[in-house]
Amino acid sequence: MCAFASNLSSASDIDQDLVRNFIEGCSGIKCLAIFIHDGTRTRQGFYALFSSLQALEHLSILVTWHDGHIRRDLADYICTATTQRLSISKVTRIDIGDPFDEQDGTASFTSLDVEEFRGDNATMARLIRWPKQLRDFRIGHVDRTQSNIDLNLLGEGLLSHVDNLETICISDLTQAGTILDVTKFTKLKTLNLCIFYFPDRLDTPAADISRLLAPKLETFTWDFRNSTYEPGHHFEEEQDQWLRQFAKAAASKPTPLKNINLVFETNWPLRVTDDERADLLGVKDHCRQLNIELKIHPPSLNQ
């Protein structure tokens, strides 16, 4: 895969003819990474230079200046780009257009990756509703000092793509809310959730599980890599029992679950006790009897 990175810390000084000639010679570029290092405005029509990249599959935008603002000229380019995947990092706000309702469903990307998000619920809702069809949604680490993302509102936004979403991966947000109900997502195959969303006490497993088992769900990942918990909040008796009930229910649905992933911090195997390791291997054997493959990460925990 070819890649092209544009450093736009002083884009107003860039010779646009030089950029145009360079792009025309690299028309087969599949991945374009744009790094914006300050708030300097680009010359009018600068981003339109990239419109000739018809083979583009992945557009990645990293905003590194303090206000994290994607301005209208870049937003207009994103809307018209033929890319399938959009990745954005450290964004606080984006000028998609007003009234925004007219911009719903106008972008062509089908996969949205958001990392280190610093915006509010309204900005996140705009991003989610922007594409015509969203098949894959991933949100990684959220900057808790600048953002206030609510899981319930996030779930409401994702419902605008209820007939298309195949993958939902959500890391630790600012507000947990109730466990995301994904049962209406008829095409959902992969669900990745952080332990942060689950109650401190897992004493209502049946209710939790009923919200997580989408009709065609094939892979469920339970991510324990969460900085909000004290070290040692890991796989204990409650998690063990909850996962066993989840696996049993998932194996009995018309389209049975195929895979479960448990993901822990890289250095956790150095602290895990023999009893904890035995519990993990025990639930792995329980899943195997249900024809579900349980993978534990890091791999050393599988032994």
Side-chain angles (χ1 to χ4, degrees), residues 12-288:
S12 58
D13 298 326
I14 294 176
D15 186 324
Q16 299 201 70
D17 288 334
L18 180 63
V19 175
R20 182 183 296 106
N21 292 336
F22 179 81
I23 292 175
E24 288 177 353
C26 302
S27 58
I29 287 175
K30 294 184 178 181
C31 179
L32 172 64
I34 299 178
F35 300 88
I36 308 175
H37 291 281
D38 60 36
T40 303
R41 292 184 178 274
T42 57
R43 292 179 181 175
Q44 185 176 2
F46 178 81
Y47 292 108
L49 297 175
F50 300 117
S51 60
S52 62
L53 300 178
Q54 296 300 309
L56 192 65
E57 296 178 357
H58 183 192
L59 175 60
S60 179
I61 300 173
L62 173 62
V63 184
T64 60
W65 78 75
H66 69 282
D67 67 354
H69 184 188
I70 293 180
R71 291 181 168 79
R72 183 62 181 270
D73 53 351
L74 179 53
D76 286 345
Y77 167 65
I78 294 172
C79 192
T80 58
T82 57
T83 185
Q84 300 171 16
R85 179 182 176 190
L86 174 65
S87 299
I88 60 173
S89 179
K90 299 185 178 180
V91 168
T92 58
R93 56 198 175 107
I94 182 167
D95 292 342
I96 299 177
D98 293 310
F100 178 71
D101 289 345
E102 296 180 1
Q103 307 299 320
D104 284 359
T106 57
S108 63
F109 63 86
T110 59
S111 177
L112 175 62
D113 298 337
V114 183
E115 189 67 31
E116 296 187 65
F117 186 71
R118 299 177 179 179
D120 56 16
N121 287 292
T123 300
M124 179 58 67
R126 285 188 165 198
L127 284 169
I128 292 173
R129 298 199 307 268
W130 200 5
K132 301 180 185 72
Q133 293 185 352
L134 189 63
R135 296 192 181 95
D136 303 296
F137 175 77
R138 297 175 176 84
I139 180 168
H141 175 67
V142 171
D143 189 332
R144 293 170 179 270
T145 65
Q146 300 187 45
S147 185
N148 189 32
I149 299 300
D150 182 277
L151 180 62
N152 295 332
L153 294 177
L154 181 65
E156 291 177 9
L158 293 175
L159 283 173
S160 61
H161 300 284
V162 67
D163 296 324
N164 300 306
L165 272 166
E166 298 177 6
T167 301
I168 298 176
C169 298
I170 305 176
S171 183
D172 53 331
L173 302 185
T174 313
Q175 299 180 29
T178 56
I179 292 178
L180 191 67
D181 188 345
V182 298
T183 55
K184 295 180 181 179
F185 293 87
T186 57
K187 293 184 179 180
L188 187 67
K189 295 181 179 180
T190 301
L191 178 64
N192 185 332
L193 292 178
C194 181
I195 185 65
F196 174 73
Y197 302 123
F198 293 79
D200 291 336
R201 294 184 58 83
L202 298 174
D203 51 6
T204 58
D208 300 342
I209 293 166
S210 66
R211 301 173 68 87
L212 296 176
L213 290 179
K216 295 184 179 180
L217 188 67
E218 296 180 355
T219 300
F220 173 69
T221 297
W222 210 5
D223 194 340
F224 286 74
R225 297 173 300 175
N226 185 6
S227 59
T228 63
Y229 284 113
E230 295 293 331
H233 184 105
H234 289 293
F235 198 79
E236 301 171 352
E237 180 65 22
E238 281 188 337
Q239 287 82 8
D240 180 294
Q241 293 303 314
W242 187 96
L243 190 59
R244 287 173 183 268
Q245 292 189 48
F246 175 82
K248 183 177 180 180
S252 62
K253 67 190 186 81
T255 303
L257 192 75
K258 297 178 180 179
N259 307 288
I260 295 176
N261 298 307
L262 296 180
V263 184
F264 299 94
E265 296 288 354
T266 303
N267 63 348
W268 191 55
L270 300 176
R271 303 192 305 269
V272 67
T273 66
D274 290 341
D275 288 343
E276 288 171 327
R277 189 181 297 273
D279 289 341
L280 286 169
L281 296 180
V283 74
K284 183 174 183 177
D285 183 64
H286 174 77
C287 290
R288 184 185 301 114

